[in-house]
Each structure stands twice: as structure tokens, then as C-alpha cells.
Amino acid sequence: MGSWALEEAWKQIQEWVHNNIPFYPIAVNLSAIQFENKKLFSTLESLIEKYNIQPNHLIIEITESTAMRHIDMSIRTFERLRDLGIRIAIDDFGTGHSSFLYLKDLPVDELKIDREFIRNLCEGSKEQIILESIIHLAIPLVLVVSVEFVETEQQAQILKRLGCQQLQGYLL
């Protein structure tokens, strides 16, 4: 299923490029098994060659727990993905496995903040304080901050004011 999802993403990107349709990069979540599979790079290299498109049109999303499980291996894998030109996002950021120490070393492009920080977000809440801290830490590190599961206009307004660059969810 994971290989199929990667191939489908490349097919869609190729179609958009071929038809001159503007688009945002496609994000594909990799499972822990895919991320740790020795064939990951040969698979990605063959897809890049087969579809002949710019690799930066793809974002690989890895959950924070997967990235932190074997941190040294993750750093090497992220570096190889970046060498291919593929962008990298840490999904479910802030779910208890993160270490701010590793943020300086992880070669990633984006942090996707977990929905638990959004569920009860309102002005003056503890969630707002935590989100503000994460966003203000990420921006100087040149990390794009995305928030998932934005469902209300109030959530969107708070997040925009805090400096969040990308919002996802039912509201949008």
C-alpha cells in the first residue's frame, strides 16, 4: 500500500506538471516500516527517474514517534531524502516523543503540530501558550509550521496571529 501511495503521488504530480496546472507539493505519509526499509531509496530513485519530475514536489511525512525511535538512523535517512531533493515533515509534532535538542540536528523542512493542541484552542488557553512557543522556536530554525484539524474560525485566527504558516482541516 505504501509503495502504491508513493507511485500515485508521482503520477499525479507528473499529470499536473504535464498539463501546466499549478499545485502545492503532495505530502505522503510513510509508515515506520517503509521509513526503515532498506529499499526506500531505490524505490524513490526509480520513481523520480520513471516520472521525470522535480523531487521537491513531494513531501515525505514521518511521525514524530518514528523519527525519534532511532534518531541517528533517522537523521541519516532524512539527509539522504534531502540529497534526493525531497522535502521532509515531522507529523504529529509535540505528542510526547519530541526532543528540542534534536530539532537543531534534524534535517527537516516542516513541523506538523498534532491535533491535540488544537482541540481546545482558545484565547489565553494553555494550548495557545504551547503553540506560540513551538511556532516561535520553529520559525528562526527555518521550519514551516503546519497545524492539522483546524475546524473553527477562532482557531484559524489564533494560529495566523501566532505566525503559523499552513493550516489544514475541515474549516478550510
Side-chain angles (χ1 to χ4, degrees), residues 61-73:
E61 291 187 5
I62 306 297
T63 62
E64 180 183 55
S65 57
T66 297
M68 295 300 157
R69 186 165 50 191
H70 304 293
I71 191 67
D72 292 333
M73 189 270 312

Side-chain angles (χ1 to χ4, degrees), residues 81-140:
L81 288 168
R82 282 187 125 187
D83 288 346
L84 287 175
I86 294 171
R87 295 167 55 190
I88 304 153
I90 299 292
D91 198 14
D92 300 336
F93 185 78
T95 55
H97 300 95
S98 61
S99 169
F100 290 118
L101 177 63
Y102 291 116
L103 272 183
K104 68 180 181 63
D105 296 323
L106 283 175
V108 299
D109 304 290
E110 180 178 337
L111 297 179
K112 293 186 85 169
I113 297 174
D114 189 70
R115 73 170 139 187
E116 290 303 317
F117 293 103
I118 307 309
R119 187 174 310 222
N120 297 314
L121 178 63
C122 60
E123 286 295 335
S125 66
K126 290 180 181 179
E127 289 83 359
Q128 178 183 341
I129 294 165
I130 293 169
L131 286 166
E132 184 173 19
S133 298
I134 293 170
I135 293 166
H136 286 265
L137 176 67
I139 291 173

Side-chain angles (χ1 to χ4, degrees), residues 145-161:
V145 179
S146 298
V147 176
E148 303 173 303
F149 297 95
V150 177
E151 297 179 354
T152 69
E153 189 60 42
Q154 180 187 24
Q155 291 169 335
Q157 291 305 316
I158 292 170
L159 292 164
K160 288 176 189 175
R161 187 176 45 74

Side-chain angles (χ1 to χ4, degrees), residues 18-34:
H18 178 74
N19 292 314
N20 294 316
I21 298 172
F23 64 95
Y24 292 101
I26 292 181
V28 177
N29 291 74
L30 291 188
S31 69
I33 293 170
Q34 279 181 286

